[in-house]
Amino acid sequence: MGRAKITIVGAGNVGATCAHWCAAAELGDVVLVDIPATESMPKGKALDLMQASPIVGFDANIVGCTDYGPTAGSDVVVVTAGIARKPGMSRDDLLATNAKIVTSVAENIKATSPGAVVIVVSNPLDAMVQQVFKVTGFPASRVCGQAGVLDTARYRTFLAMELGVSVEDVSALLMGGHGDTMVPMPSCTSVGGIPIRRLLSEDKLNAIVDRARNGGAEIVSLLKTGSAYYAPAAATAQMVEAVVRDKKRLIPAAAYCDKEYGVGGYYVGVPVIMGAQGVEKVVELKLDAEEQAAFDKSVAAVKSLVKTMDELMAKAA
Ligand code: APR
């Protein structure tokens, strides 16, 4: 069996770091694509990364390019293309710009890798993944978004820091959209098998959930320029691994939910089983009243984001 072919669109911080994690874990050969304006930059990053392989000890072909030719027939495509919000730019400006970018990316993926599983990372995530689904016309199982693995990893990190235990022993789940309205699930959080509420007070737990919710903003304010990329890229590589190794991981992802959770045709963060076919199953949990209320609020926020995007796209057309 040959190696998997992994294309990463956007050779910026998240894209290049994701290429690094994927190559180091020998998940497959990697193609880094960016826009022509970046000229030889993707080639430079790819060659640099390849030259780490004899030292670290991985076999992977890594190429960089500014056209989709070398990406043809990819098994997995990761979308990190986009721009970060610049000073003076409104959220709607960012939404419209990135929606245009992911639309063109999705058209290219459709034309060159029609059998790929697509993992969207560009923000605002819940709207971008919906747009990629719409434009590619791929089955919903083959289009998903990375948000939950990252949000949950932040939450797990803070829990481990608070309790002074290994991050490996912290198992958790967060649901809903990426950002302000993410839904904490204390009933699905445990440490070494012990339910979290037996180890932490409600107040402490809420403070940690809040920190996880604002995890992206905290990094932005520390970095001053740009946004988080190590953890977002690692989270994405975990999803790539689930596909190329057919792992059947049970992880949170932005997945298309129609009847599931009564969402009605939108992408929201839910637990899924990820394997070679992409999102092979949305795992439906019975939510308690508090979780349901938070989830409903989150879904409403996602719907309104998508509505704004659709209006902006219609205006621009
Ligand atoms: N096709 C391919 N690449 C593109 C396109 C396009 N149409 N438009 C922009 N890009 C590229 C840029 O040239 C840049 O190299 O996407 C890259 C984005 O990289 P960064 O600016 O470093 O941004 P990064 O930190 O990687 O974040 C990328 O992921 O987590 C999200 O919020 C984040 O939406 C952002 C995305």
Side-chain angles (χ1 to χ4, degrees), residues 9-10 12-14 34-35 38 41 80-82 101 104-105 121-123 227:
V9 187
N13 281 337
V14 176
D34 211 301
I35 45 172
T38 61
M41 178 276 275
T80 76
I101 289 173
S104 83
V105 169
V121 188
S122 309
N123 274 314
S227 49

Side-chain angles (χ1 to χ4, degrees), residues 75-275:
D75 300 292
V76 182
V77 180
V78 170
V79 180
T80 76
I83 59 157
R85 196 161 148 195
K86 302 205 177 78
M89 197 175 194
S90 73
R91 257 175 201 282
D92 279 2
D93 289 342
L94 178 76
L95 179 62
T97 304
N98 281 356
K100 238 183 275 162
I101 289 173
V102 302
T103 299
S104 83
V105 169
E107 283 161 354
N108 281 305
I109 296 170
K110 182 182 181 177
T112 48
S113 291
V117 172
V118 185
I119 303 169
V120 181
V121 188
S122 309
N123 274 314
L125 191 269
D126 307 290
M128 295 306 111
V129 62
Q130 185 95 26
Q131 185 67 6
V132 170
F133 169 62
K134 184 166 135 188
V135 175
T136 56
F138 287 0
S141 57
R142 285 206 281 114
V143 179
C144 61
Q146 188 296 117
V149 174
L150 171 63
D151 294 333
T152 304
R154 286 177 169 149
Y155 178 52
R156 288 168 62 199
T157 304
F158 298 142
L159 285 169
M161 282 160 64
E162 174 66 31
L163 292 165
V165 301
S166 165
V167 287
E168 287 180 47
D169 293 323
V170 183
S171 174
L173 174 68
L174 292 164
M175 290 177 56
H178 186 41
D180 306 345
T181 59
M182 77 177 63
V183 182
M185 302 282 292
S187 65
C188 300
T189 303
S190 62
V191 181
I194 305 166
I196 192 65
R197 283 183 164 130
R198 297 179 74 163
L199 295 169
L200 276 183
S201 71
E202 210 63 25
D203 283 356
K204 276 258 156 66
L205 196 54
N206 287 338
I208 289 172
V209 166
D210 267 347
R211 192 169 174 200
R213 194 175 270 150
N214 297 315
E218 184 177 1
I219 303 286
V220 167
S221 74
L222 291 167
L223 289 179
K224 314 280 187 222
T225 59
S227 49
Y229 55 97
Y230 291 115
T236 309
Q238 184 176 79
M239 294 176 74
V240 173
E241 183 190 33
V243 176
V244 302
R245 299 212 167 118
D246 194 20
K247 295 271 286 186
K248 317 291 185 199
R249 293 293 308 261
L250 201 166
I251 49 178
Y256 187 76
C257 294
D258 191 7
K259 290 200 179 65
E260 295 87 351
Y261 292 97
V263 168
Y266 289 84
Y267 275 84
V268 274
V270 288
V272 304
I273 295 177
M274 254 195 113

